[in-house]
Amino acid sequence: MIKTITFIRFPFESRMGGEELHTIKLAEYFRSNGFEVRLISSCPVLIKEFKNLELEVYEFKPFRAPVTKLSMLAFILKYPWSLFRFKRKFNSDFFQNEACTFLLNIGEKIIFSKYLSKVASKVVFMEHATIGNFMYKNPFLGKLQTLVKLKNIEVVSVSKIMKKDLLKVYNSSAIIIPNAVYTKPTNNYDRKNQLKKIGFLGRFTEDKGSEVILNLCHKFPHLEFLISSEKLDYNLKNIKWLGYLKDKKLEEFWSEIDLLILPATKVDPFGLVVLEAIQRKVPVLISDLVGAKDYFKPEHEIFISSVNDFQSKLSEISKSPERLSIISKQAFEKLKDFSAEKMHKKYLNLLK
């Protein structure tokens, strides 16, 4: 009998990012190991990608993730009806051969996990996102802390930096399985010891360090900043807005920049873009709130700074550009620890 694995996600908003890519690659891996992989979701990004992979998709819209006061109010009002609808549509027969159910957002963990723990062999609370007030001040926090004590529910996250926060939230230890490199570079990326172009790849938002980057643009007018975002209304001549990047355009971005920066102002659970940069021998400067910092040696394989000292750290790097190629080569040697094969096997072991 073929075993099933189901991913469930009802997000507040939907966009392609590290969490989505991680989910897609896990789904592909489980299918390659003989599992029937399914998605129950309201997330347009995952629905599209799972359909493109010809995986089974069940579109279901019970609620938006309760991460704001308004969405929490709507969530509470919809709670009983959402549970009733879910159990009616996905009854015990649906999960009779279920090896594992992955719950990706907070809403499904609150409402559906107790039911799922009775019909699935294993339930995994995947924790990709930064732990914020929506968790610490959540009226259902006590319920979540009780749920994770059930013998077949595990909390899993992608980096060590999350472990302390998750222990504080759940009163239970999380299993840490670090992210992996998925993309394959198409060029050799010969690097020069120069610092002329700085890149940022990701959502250009405050938590990712948008204000820090804009301040750097002011302070370093001789440097060009390449930003993977639609053009925003800032009167800065040394910013180049590139929009959403993929395929050839993305590879051009990597070949053009001399340094990648990620000055996150809130905890970024891992920062998958860090691995993607290192794979292309691009040196990286990150804040000490990025989870990847725990896996690379500061000043040897990666540049790390507090958000407040980011400007002075960039100034220091610009005065010693000969360090860039040394750092990038040493970080590249560390990538063997982040193979997709190693990561996937750890998830497969969860099912045993």
Side-chain angles (χ1 to χ4, degrees):
M1 186 68 69
I2 296 176
K3 291 287 187 178
T4 59
I5 289 179
T6 308
F7 291 88
I8 301 178
R9 186 178 191 230
F10 306 115
F12 183 77
E13 59 184 8
S14 176
R15 67 179 76 181
M16 179 57 83
E19 177 179 343
E20 290 74 15
L21 179 61
H22 184 260
T23 301
I24 292 162
K25 293 300 182 181
L26 269 183
E28 288 182 294
Y29 175 74
F30 284 130
R31 178 171 63 179
S32 72
N33 276 268
F35 292 93
E36 180 185 337
V37 180
R38 312 177 293 188
L39 173 71
I40 302 173
S41 185
S42 59
C43 174
V45 169
L46 284 185
I47 289 170
K48 178 183 177 182
E49 294 298 328
F50 270 63
K51 285 182 176 179
N52 286 343
L53 293 169
E54 298 183 344
L55 294 169
E56 206 168 340
V57 173
Y58 297 85
E59 295 187 44
F60 189 68
K61 298 180 180 180
F63 47 77
R64 293 177 77 190
V67 295
T68 66
K69 289 182 179 179
L70 190 59
S71 63
M72 175 58 77
L73 177 60
F75 177 82
I76 292 171
L77 294 173
K78 292 180 178 180
Y79 189 138
W81 178 237
S82 296
L83 180 58
F84 174 78
R85 286 177 59 216
F86 186 86
K87 291 170 72 172
R88 184 175 63 179
K89 187 173 179 67
F90 307 106
N91 59 28
S92 58
D93 290 340
F94 182 87
F95 293 103
Q96 65 179 339
N97 297 312
E98 186 81 347
C100 187
T101 306
F102 288 85
L103 305 182
L104 306 182
N105 281 95
I106 186 171
E108 51 266 29
K109 293 166 187 170
I110 293 169
I111 296 184
F112 304 137
S113 57
K114 186 174 182 179
Y115 165 67
L116 290 168
S117 71
K118 296 176 181 178
V119 294
S121 297
K122 176 85 70 174
V123 177
V124 170
F125 283 17
M126 276 304 309
E127 297 293 346
H128 294 103
T130 302
I131 304 298
N133 285 336
F134 73 91
M135 284 292 282
Y136 291 120
K137 297 182 179 181
N138 196 293
F140 294 99
L141 183 56
K143 178 181 175 69
L144 287 169
Q145 291 171 345
T146 300
L147 287 167
V148 297
K149 289 180 171 62
L150 296 175
K151 63 180 181 180
N152 62 336
I153 292 183
E154 299 279 8
V155 179
V156 178
S157 191
V158 295
S159 73
K160 297 175 186 175
I161 200 172
M162 293 285 286
K163 196 159 190 173
K164 184 178 179 180
D165 286 342
L166 288 172
L167 180 60
K168 192 185 302 183
V169 167
Y170 288 119
N171 286 336
S172 179
S173 296
I175 297 170
I176 304 300
I177 304 178
N179 264 330
V181 178
Y182 297 117
T183 55
K184 295 181 180 180
T186 57
N187 299 315
N188 291 325
Y189 300 104
D190 292 327
R191 299 292 169 188
K192 297 178 181 178
N193 283 322
Q194 63 179 26
L195 185 59
K196 294 182 179 180
K197 295 184 179 182
I198 293 177
F200 172 83
L201 184 65
R203 292 181 290 108
F204 196 67
T205 53
E206 187 174 347
D207 62 310
K208 295 290 186 180
S210 59
E211 293 299 319
V212 177
I213 293 171
L214 292 173
N215 184 54
L216 294 176
C217 292
H218 281 290
K219 299 296 184 180
F220 299 90
H222 61 289
L223 297 177
E224 184 177 9
F225 290 78
L226 280 58
I227 310 295
S228 66
S229 171
E230 297 302 323
K231 186 174 182 179
L232 300 176
D233 190 20
Y234 295 105
N235 188 26
L236 291 164
K237 294 181 179 179
N238 59 335
I239 288 187
K240 188 175 181 181
W241 303 101
L242 303 178
Y244 176 70
L245 300 175
K246 65 178 183 178
D247 302 330
K248 185 179 179 180
K249 291 289 185 183
L250 180 57
E251 296 308 322
E252 289 175 356
F253 167 83
W254 289 122
S255 63
E256 197 171 350
I257 65 172
D258 304 308
L259 177 72
L260 180 86
I261 58 173
L262 181 51
T265 58
K266 294 183 179 178
V267 171
D268 187 330
F270 192 89
L272 187 57
V273 68
V274 172
L275 296 184
E276 293 173 356
I278 291 171
Q279 189 184 36
R280 293 162 175 84
K281 296 182 180 177
V282 176
V284 179
L285 167 60
I286 61 174
S287 80
D288 54 9
L289 296 174
V290 178
K293 75 178 180 67
D294 291 320
Y295 301 93
F296 295 92
K297 294 179 182 177
E299 306 302 314
H300 182 74
E301 298 163 338
I302 199 169
F303 297 108
I304 301 173
S305 170
S306 68
V307 173
N308 291 336
D309 292 333
F310 219 80
Q311 179 184 325
S312 59
K313 174 56 73 173
L314 182 56
S315 178
E316 176 189 318
I317 294 169
S318 68
K319 293 173 183 176
S320 305
E322 68 278 0
R323 299 177 64 197
L324 294 172
S325 62
I326 298 171
I327 288 282
S328 63
K329 287 175 183 176
Q330 290 171 163
F332 184 80
E333 293 300 315
K334 193 72 169 287
L335 276 186
K336 61 182 182 292
D337 296 337
F338 297 92
S339 73
E341 182 181 2
K342 284 185 178 180
M343 183 195 76
H344 289 151
K345 283 182 177 178
K346 291 178 181 178
Y347 279 97
L348 197 59
N349 288 335
L350 275 179
L351 311 188
K352 296 177 180 178

